[in-house]
Amino acid sequence: MDVAPGALKIGATGGKLTTVKVSDKSGKEVPGTIAADGSSWTPSAGLAVGTAYQVSAMAADANGAVATADSSFTTLTPAALAKASDNVDDNATYGVGMIVSVEFSKDVANKDAVAKGITFETDNGTAVKGHWFDDRRLDFRPEEYWKPGTKVTVQYRLKSVEIAPGVYGTDRDEPFTIGRSKVSTVDAAAHRMTVAENGASSDIDITSGSDEHPTWNGTMVVMSKEGTVRMQSSTLPGMTGSPYDLQVPHSMRLTTTGTYVHGNYWSGGAFGEDNVSHGCVGLRDVKGGGDSTTMGKFYADSLVGDVVIVKNSVKKETLDPANGLSGWNVPWSKW
């Protein structure tokens, strides 16, 4: 018979269970417990899907008569699998603000079980917690920024977790490392960015979003380093001012909706003096991008997962924590 991985329960009638052994074909036993009244045995964890098991049980009645029974069963083969994709590459190095964002290919019905099926092993005991943004997206982070040098392994144990009716996941491990600390704070009103890296700090002249297209306030994280990106005014909702179509060098994405920190070679003397961008943070650069420019150096030294904080922007709306890897804007008590 086919049994759902979480549905196994072995019972006894007319007596009490004394021993129960459940094992797979390799002889590996399934841990479990007998109820205090001896009426049933349940496994302490879900069984593997599509797997054959042997059961050997012994029970005794009130007169001391002992009975044994042997049986077998196979757990069901999933009707469908849900893929869990994330933003982590094996053995990569990320910044201290890295948030692991998991996207499922199907809506998740059993969110508690799924969240428990994804765990983080760290070499320094850093605790990590998940937060659901919708029925498919689950982000993970610690309470505070990661400690530099932390070694992390994301452990997916979803093969035996019913994600939705008849739908299960898969198992895998993903190791990565946290690099040096780099937190950049943009003061939009002062047109300056302070970069704190490994205990040292430096100030950089910048230009951020204009009053018509202000930059988001809040804590953002570098999602990706994208090199040269074509940016067009035609893609910007509510665009005002002169149209543009630019090849923008040294572009690093901060939000899903298109906020970047990038090189800027067209704004003349605005750096440190005025905010003239359409929402991005611009640093001095040259057309095509230069390795020795302010932005070229900043880009080369940046990691996915680095933190960029913007304050004193005139923008009134609050940055949506689901916009990019912006979960640091959610208090830990609500995460």
Side-chain angles (χ1 to χ4, degrees), residues 151-307:
K151 295 187 181 300
V152 186
T153 300
V154 188
Q155 299 175 326
Y156 288 85
R157 298 296 181 266
L158 300 174
K159 184 178 179 181
S160 300
V161 175
E162 191 173 27
I163 292 173
V167 179
Y168 289 78
T170 58
D171 293 351
R172 71 179 189 274
D173 289 348
E174 292 180 342
F176 66 91
T177 301
I178 301 299
R180 82 289 175 270
S181 175
K182 183 178 181 180
V183 178
S184 302
T185 302
V186 174
D187 186 332
H191 322 296
R192 301 278 285 175
M193 180 170 72
T194 300
V195 182
E197 183 171 354
N198 287 336
S201 65
S202 59
D203 289 336
I204 298 174
D205 289 337
I206 59 94
T207 183
S208 62
S210 66
D211 288 353
E212 293 76 22
H213 301 284
T215 306
W216 293 107
N217 283 303
T219 301
M220 291 168 266
V221 172
V222 175
M223 300 172 63
S224 55
K225 297 177 68 176
E226 300 179 10
T228 298
V229 173
R230 184 182 184 185
M231 298 188 184
Q232 300 171 281
S233 56
S234 59
T235 66
L236 185 66
M239 164 65 189
T240 61
S242 301
Y244 61 86
D245 186 348
L246 298 168
Q247 295 292 332
V248 180
H250 295 132
S251 297
M252 298 193 296
R253 181 181 288 272
L254 299 179
T255 67
T256 308
T257 54
T259 306
Y260 285 81
V261 55
H262 60 63
N264 181 316
Y265 55 85
W266 57 87
S267 292
F271 304 100
E273 299 294 334
D274 197 8
N275 290 327
V276 297
S277 87
H278 291 83
C280 296
V281 177
L283 281 66
R284 282 192 180 92
D285 211 335
V286 295
K287 192 171 184 178
D291 293 342
S292 61
T293 64
T294 302
M295 186 60 208
K297 294 176 182 178
F298 184 77
Y299 185 92
D301 185 54
S302 293
L303 295 171
V304 170
D306 282 349
V307 179

Side-chain angles (χ1 to χ4, degrees), residues 2-24:
D2 285 345
V3 176
L8 178 64
K9 187 174 184 179
I10 297 170
T13 56
K16 295 183 178 182
L17 290 169
T18 55
T19 61
V20 175
K21 179 181 177 181
V22 179
S23 56
D24 62 19

Side-chain angles (χ1 to χ4, degrees), residues 97-102 120 127-133 137-144 146 221 320-335:
M98 184 61 176
I99 291 177
V100 177
S101 186
V102 183
F120 284 68
V128 177
K129 188 164 66 171
H131 178 85
W132 289 97
F133 281 110
R137 179 178 170 183
L138 174 61
D139 283 14
F140 290 90
R141 68 168 175 89
E143 182 175 4
E144 299 177 345
W146 298 92
V221 172
D320 183 353
N323 190 357
L325 303 178
S326 302
W328 295 106
N329 297 289
V330 178
W332 186 246
S333 60
K334 296 182 179 180
W335 183 257

